Amino acid sequence: MLKLSLNSNYNGETSPLFTHQAAKQTRAFHQQIDGYQPTPLVSLPTLAQHLGVKAILVKDESKRFGLNAFKVLGGSYALGRLLADHLNVDISEIDLKTVSEKLPKPLVFTTATAGNHGTGVAWAAREMGQKAVVYMPKGSPQASVERIRGLGAECIVTDVNYDDTVRLASQTADENGWTLVQDTAWEGYETIPTWISQGYITMADEALEQAQADNMTPTHIMLQAGVGAMAGGVLGYFADALGADNFKAIIGEPSAADCIFRSADAGDMTPVTGDLTSIMAGLACGEPNPVTWPILRDCSDACVSADDSIAALGMRILGNPLKGDQAVISGESGAITMGILYRLMTTDEGKAFAEQLGLGADSTVMIFSTEGDTNPIRYRDIVWNGAHS
């Protein structure tokens, strides 16, 4: 099931926080990390022809630093900025291999996560010789817990939902003198979430460079949102780089936690409460990020609330391509936009909405598969066994 809504708040106003110029700094930081290379931008020409669009471009973040997800971009950049501030040096002077030698003892960084953000923080802390304590909400898959622990971090699963786990991590950090590295913001806590969202725009800068190298500038950009940290940062980048009026931005969320959809409808940040249960664990967040909400409010063209079957559909489409197209292994949170695109182009209700957004034969659609099979057992259950069909 899909709920579709045009964003009546659109005014095209860009953000000074998420710009093409800011991407130069974040990408320069990431480029000096061992193993850095741009993740692939996969073209799916057969699927594009099948759905009646000019091109479909998929940014495959399963290849990012061997961590199977994009989130490390934000966590690593935020830790780099924090260590630079701690040492009173510029971010360009932070060398991951030697930064720990400049500190009398390791710093402790903590965060709450549905999985991928915590993995990124744990990995970055390990690479920089620091410590990480990661909190996860109830129901978190054991595979994610073990992945984080395997990176040397302490991982604690709580008995509350994601948003309450964030509050617990913040409280514990204050009590212990640790540094909270959270990808959402609230009053008095905006700087670090801003750095995290800026870290994500490395991904957008790569994608635009790759698309334009093949003369395929996107006309439609589809982004998934939890709190909106990635969606807002990436949308801000494209609005600055291309001009907000030169493409259509579509934001997708799980129906169980569609806080951006509801906020766009209300014209102001509107939280979603409850268990927020969805297979899209990385998007199961009920409170919008106030740092990135303004750019989502001002520059997104439409919002879509989708149930779990839409994400499962996207996973199967990407993992089992039409002849001539390349397979993309995409997890639940990574595949929601592909599922949405398919439904927009193949159902009567979807086609009417697609027409309003100008989706058609001249459209180049860019989507971001933000994770691979981070939960391999559930991935197989969905793609092999047809779960959530």
Side-chain angles (χ1 to χ4, degrees):
M1 184 183 73
L2 293 179
K3 288 191 294 183
L4 313 164
S5 177
L6 295 176
N7 178 23
S8 62
N9 309 292
Y10 179 92
N11 60 26
E13 185 173 334
T14 58
S15 168
L17 297 175
F18 309 109
T19 64
H20 192 265
Q21 186 62 36
K24 294 183 184 298
Q25 184 178 70
T26 63
R27 196 167 174 187
F29 174 79
H30 291 128
Q31 284 172 329
Q32 54 88 31
I33 300 175
D34 279 350
Y36 169 81
Q37 57 182 1
T39 54
L41 185 69
V42 179
S43 179
L44 302 176
T46 312
L47 181 61
Q49 183 179 24
H50 179 72
L51 295 184
V53 297
K54 181 179 179 180
I56 298 173
L57 308 175
V58 182
K59 185 66 166 162
D60 182 5
E61 287 297 301
S62 71
K63 313 295 185 184
R64 184 68 68 183
F65 288 123
L67 292 174
N68 217 5
F70 81 107
K71 285 277 191 176
V72 66
L73 293 172
S76 62
Y77 184 66
L79 261 65
R81 290 292 300 257
L82 284 163
L83 289 168
D85 278 9
H86 188 79
L87 296 168
N88 197 29
V89 299
D90 188 78
I91 181 69
S92 62
E93 298 180 49
I94 294 296
D95 184 330
L96 271 66
K97 294 179 180 178
T98 61
V99 67
S100 62
E101 299 171 6
K102 300 178 180 180
L103 298 167
K105 63 178 182 179
L107 302 180
V108 180
F109 298 100
T110 190
T111 192
T113 183
N116 292 334
H117 172 64
T119 300
V121 170
W123 181 88
R126 185 192 68 180
E127 293 296 298
M128 298 182 190
Q130 310 304 306
K131 294 182 178 180
V133 179
V134 178
Y135 291 86
M136 299 189 72
K138 65 178 179 180
S140 294
Q142 191 62 27
S144 296
V145 174
E146 294 304 324
R147 187 158 51 116
I148 290 168
R149 289 175 179 166
L151 293 167
E154 183 179 357
C155 186
I156 301 163
V157 180
T158 72
D159 59 0
V160 293
N161 69 18
Y162 173 81
D163 296 304
D164 287 336
T165 301
V166 171
R167 284 183 267 274
L168 177 62
S170 177
Q171 177 185 339
T172 307
D174 290 341
E175 291 171 352
N176 290 282
W178 299 341
T179 300
L180 183 70
V181 185
Q182 200 57 53
D183 55 351
T184 191
W186 51 86
E187 186 175 353
Y189 185 78
E190 292 96 4
T191 301
I192 293 172
T194 299
W195 290 339
I196 290 172
S197 292
Q198 287 174 330
Y200 297 152
I201 64 178
T202 285
M203 174 177 69
D205 193 53
E206 292 173 359
L208 183 58
E209 181 180 274
Q210 291 164 321
Q212 291 183 331
D214 292 327
N215 296 312
M216 292 195 292
T217 299
T219 62
H220 294 76
I221 299 171
M222 302 185 72
L223 299 163
Q224 55 271 61
V227 298
M230 182 281 287
V234 170
L235 177 55
Y237 167 86
F238 280 110
D240 179 71
L242 298 177
D245 294 337
N246 293 322
F247 66 95
K248 299 292 185 183
I250 303 161
I251 311 300
E253 295 171 281
S255 55
D258 54 359
C259 58
I260 304 301
F261 180 96
R262 298 190 195 194
S263 297
D265 190 51
D268 197 8
M269 290 193 299
T270 303
V272 178
T273 59
D275 285 342
L276 313 177
T277 302
S278 169
I279 62 170
M280 294 169 271
L283 308 180
C285 313
E287 299 179 17
N289 183 342
V291 169
T292 51
W293 159 244
I295 193 72
L296 292 168
R297 177 196 62 209
D298 295 344
C299 290
S300 65
D301 294 273
C303 295
V304 181
S305 174
D307 66 22
D308 286 352
S309 69
I310 304 299
L313 171 65
M315 293 167 68
R316 288 190 282 268
I317 292 170
L318 287 166
N320 302 273
L322 295 171
K323 186 175 181 179
D325 284 352
Q326 179 180 330
V328 176
I329 305 301
S330 184
E332 300 88 339
S333 296
I336 179 177
T337 48
M338 176 54 78
I340 291 170
L341 176 62
Y342 186 84
R343 287 294 178 88
L344 287 176
M345 305 307 294
T346 59
T347 66
D348 290 341
E349 180 187 19
K351 287 177 181 178
F353 196 70
E355 185 176 354
Q356 290 180 282
L357 291 168
L359 269 169
D362 295 325
S363 301
T364 294
V365 184
M366 180 179 286
I367 72 175
F368 289 81
S369 177
T370 48
E371 65 176 6
D373 54 345
T374 54
N375 186 336
I377 294 173
R378 189 157 64 191
Y379 180 87
R380 289 194 298 272
D381 193 33
I382 292 170
V383 175
W384 291 11
N385 299 330
H388 301 283
S389 59

